[in-house]
Amino acid sequence: MLPYRNFRFRLEIDGLDAGSFSEVSGFDATMDVVEYRAGDDPAITPTKLPGLIKYGNITLKWGSSETMVLYDWLIDITEGTIEKKTVTLTALDEEGSPAASWRCINAWPVKYTAPDFNGTSSEVAIETIELAHEGLTRTD
């Protein structure tokens, strides 16, 4: 079994046709470790227990174009309409078929960055949006 290539992926956001993305990052979860020591004897080794799970923000990057779907989602939130969505990242195999998926629930935009412009450069203008979410699962 070959490992998946990181340039073969599809990103879906419920109900949004947000186009294609050049980069997706931040699908991560970290569990806090809580140390507990019974009694007051310093020779007793503390027991380590699982604490809260924290999920990192997802960062989406895409070549700036006419689409305003993600920016409009952010603006809706600033106007008081908070619509949380499910974000699914799917790795594709060599034939372009779904191979593995990661799903984040209750995602919503928390940061938007407009492209940088430079008159001496020929690079693509990149927009970025950061999404907070409340859970991560891997399927397949």
Side-chain angles (χ1 to χ4, degrees):
M1 182 183 306
L2 294 173
Y4 306 126
R5 307 275 185 142
N6 69 354
F7 62 87
R8 294 180 183 261
F9 66 91
R10 179 178 62 232
L11 188 90
E12 298 169 326
I13 302 172
D14 317 316
L16 291 182
D17 181 12
S20 299
F21 298 91
S22 58
E23 187 176 333
V24 179
S25 61
F27 276 73
D28 63 59
T30 304
M31 185 175 295
D32 285 342
V33 175
V34 177
E35 292 190 8
Y36 171 77
R37 185 177 71 210
D40 61 356
D41 183 355
I44 297 175
T45 302
T47 301
K48 294 186 178 189
L49 304 168
L52 294 174
I53 296 177
K54 296 178 184 174
Y55 300 101
N57 290 347
I58 300 166
T59 302
L60 309 177
K61 294 182 180 183
W62 68 97
S64 189
S65 65
E66 295 175 5
T67 185
M68 298 266 298
V69 174
L70 293 174
Y71 180 78
D72 289 343
W73 185 20
L74 176 76
I75 293 306
D76 288 345
I77 290 172
T78 66
E79 295 173 351
T81 305
I82 300 172
E83 188 175 353
K84 296 180 179 182
K85 300 183 178 293
T86 299
V87 177
T88 305
L89 176 67
T90 303
L92 305 174
D93 65 16
E94 295 296 321
E95 288 78 39
S97 300
S101 293
W102 294 263
R103 181 171 292 125
C104 294
I105 59 167
N106 295 330
W108 51 282
V110 295
K111 181 180 179 182
Y112 168 80
T113 305
D116 292 329
F117 292 96
N118 181 341
T120 63
S121 175
S122 62
E123 296 176 5
V124 171
I126 300 292
E127 290 181 77
T128 303
I129 201 159
E130 198 171 304
L131 307 175
H133 63 93
E134 298 172 1
L136 171 66
T137 58
R138 179 174 173 180
T139 58
D140 300 335

